[in-house]
Amino acid sequence: MLVTTGGGSGALHALLSTPGASRFVTEAVVPYSPEALERFLGEKPDHSVSPKTAVELARAAFKFPVSGFKFLSVSCTAALATDRKRRGDDRAFICIKTAESEKLYALYLSEASRAGQESCLSDWLLVLIAQAVGVERGLLLPGSFNPVHKGHLGMLKAAEEITGLRGAFELSAVNVDKPDIPEDEILRRASAIRDIPVAMTRTPRFTQKAGLFPNTTFVLGHDTAVRLIDYAQGDEWKCFQGLETSFLVAGRISQPVEKNSKPQRICFQTLEENVASSTRSAVPRRSRFQGLETLELPSGFESLFESIPEEKFREDISSTELRG
């Protein structure tokens, strides 16, 4: 069942225009006015366009399952470009609910025409639905995105070119070794990412991410891949295998440190400068590029990993350096 308000009608039209749509669409509802939204939810929401409202819509829709279907509900609440001045970003929140899980996405939209924003939102709705029902494999780049930078965007683009899939970001409010991130900070970080969904989760470990997003390729930087290999145990690798999880790993520059010497700080360029051309000359000569081949992969599970070649993607930049 699909329920959408404020945007996403293009996805509904595309679904219902597909031959045989009655075999996979049980019902569609568009509670467009505030009164209709309140009537569907059974109460007036605090905010029409918010993560909470998206979840409440999906839960309300899930109360009407149809026997014979592997039922899921999809909700979308959006604030797109309009003819009046409105506070806040043009944005949408999407929730996909099954009996086992709820997946929540934030999608912040570039300044464009309403038609352009509607097209972007509807396209992503179709992609996320296809991934949820297993028609299309998922592609996710997890991170803290504090801040997001061109390295994140470039890595995801390279992953899309290699896999042929549409990729999104994943931002967990819970981290293994860092304090929890409050919702307002999650939304602040997500709002800096435009026209690409951000899955907002509470899954600090990759086994949890894989359980929430089965049949997915996760895009990792070298350091994250090192931590994954260090932390994961034998049974977890079997879990990844069973969930059809794979990992696409991008390399990075690493600077070896001589004994009794202080580590040299790599001089990174700012986002406004041409990182691709100038950063290489700023890296000390003793530094070397570390890719998938430098990792000690778990025995018997090497096929879960694939490399993003250096010539396909390399950005010597980090969020830590940008924060100073």
Side-chain angles (χ1 to χ4, degrees):
M1 180 175 181
L2 172 64
V3 54
T4 182
T5 179
S9 60
L12 174 58
H13 179 266
L15 287 171
L16 297 182
S17 300
T18 303
S22 61
R23 294 197 299 272
F24 56 86
V25 178
T26 61
E27 188 175 356
V29 182
V30 185
Y32 210 77
S33 70
E35 295 77 16
L37 181 60
E38 181 177 349
R39 187 166 58 248
F40 184 83
L41 290 174
E43 61 181 1
K44 184 177 181 178
D46 295 334
H47 301 283
S48 297
V49 184
S50 70
K52 181 182 178 183
T53 300
V55 171
E56 289 175 345
L57 283 169
R59 290 176 179 174
F62 202 79
K63 294 177 182 178
F64 308 101
V66 177
S67 60
F69 281 82
K70 184 180 179 181
F71 190 75
L72 61 83
S73 61
V74 181
S75 70
C76 172
T77 177
L80 305 185
T82 184
D83 59 357
R84 63 186 183 277
K85 189 173 182 180
R86 184 186 57 234
R87 291 188 303 173
D89 296 288
D90 296 337
R91 65 203 184 278
F93 297 101
I94 299 163
C95 184
I96 301 178
K97 178 174 174 56
T98 67
E100 298 80 23
S101 67
E102 291 175 349
K103 302 174 186 176
L104 179 63
Y105 300 86
L107 176 62
Y108 284 82
L109 297 154
S110 298
E111 294 183 9
S113 66
R114 185 181 179 91
Q117 291 181 344
E118 172 64 41
S119 177
C120 177
L121 172 57
S122 294
D123 286 350
W124 273 116
L125 266 172
L126 294 173
V127 170
L128 296 177
I129 291 171
Q131 292 175 353
V133 300
V135 173
E136 183 173 313
R137 186 171 178 82
L139 182 68
L140 278 179
L141 195 163
S144 58
F145 310 114
N146 186 30
V148 67
H149 54 69
K150 65 189 303 181
H152 297 127
L153 300 172
M155 193 189 309
L156 187 62
K157 182 179 179 181
E160 289 181 324
E161 292 176 353
I162 290 170
T163 62
L165 302 171
R166 292 283 297 276
F169 293 108
E170 185 259 345
L171 174 53
S172 176
V174 182
N175 197 287
V176 173
D177 51 10
K178 296 178 182 178
D180 290 1
I181 308 172
E183 183 180 288
D184 59 348
E185 176 63 12
I186 290 282
L187 295 178
R188 184 192 69 79
R189 297 183 193 184
S191 68
I193 300 170
R194 298 288 163 154
D195 304 326
I196 302 173
V198 179
M200 301 185 295
T201 73
R202 298 185 64 84
T203 55
R205 297 185 62 86
F206 271 96
T207 47
Q208 296 169 309
K209 298 181 196 298
L212 184 60
F213 300 97
N215 191 35
T216 292
T217 296
F218 291 95
V219 188
L220 312 180
H222 187 272
D223 289 353
T224 303
V226 169
R227 290 194 296 272
L228 169 65
I229 294 169
D230 285 345
Y231 290 148
Q233 306 299 317
D235 288 345
E236 292 179 292
W237 294 115
K238 292 179 183 178
C239 175
F240 291 138
Q241 212 168 42
L243 291 168
E244 299 184 56
T245 302
S246 64
F247 303 98
L248 193 56
V249 180
R252 57 154 290 183
I253 280 290
S254 177
Q255 180 188 342
V257 180
E258 295 178 356
K259 189 177 181 180
N260 299 324
S261 68
K262 294 182 179 180
Q264 291 179 286
R265 185 181 180 87
I266 296 176
C267 179
F268 291 94
Q269 305 296 309
T270 63
L271 282 175
E272 289 74 19
E273 294 176 292
N274 190 341
V275 177
S277 61
S278 62
T279 306
R280 287 174 174 77
S281 62
V283 176
R285 291 183 179 180
R286 293 185 300 138
S287 302
R288 68 189 182 96
F289 187 81
Q290 289 189 313
L292 184 63
E293 67 282 354
T294 67
L295 297 176
E296 188 175 343
L297 301 180
S299 178
F301 300 96
E302 295 88 349
S303 62
L304 298 182
F305 293 83
E306 184 181 351
S307 174
I308 298 179
E310 181 181 3
E311 60 273 16
K312 194 77 173 175
F313 169 79
R314 173 180 163 182
E315 284 285 6
D316 303 324
I317 191 170
S318 76
S319 297
T320 302
E321 291 290 334
L322 291 174
R323 289 195 302 270

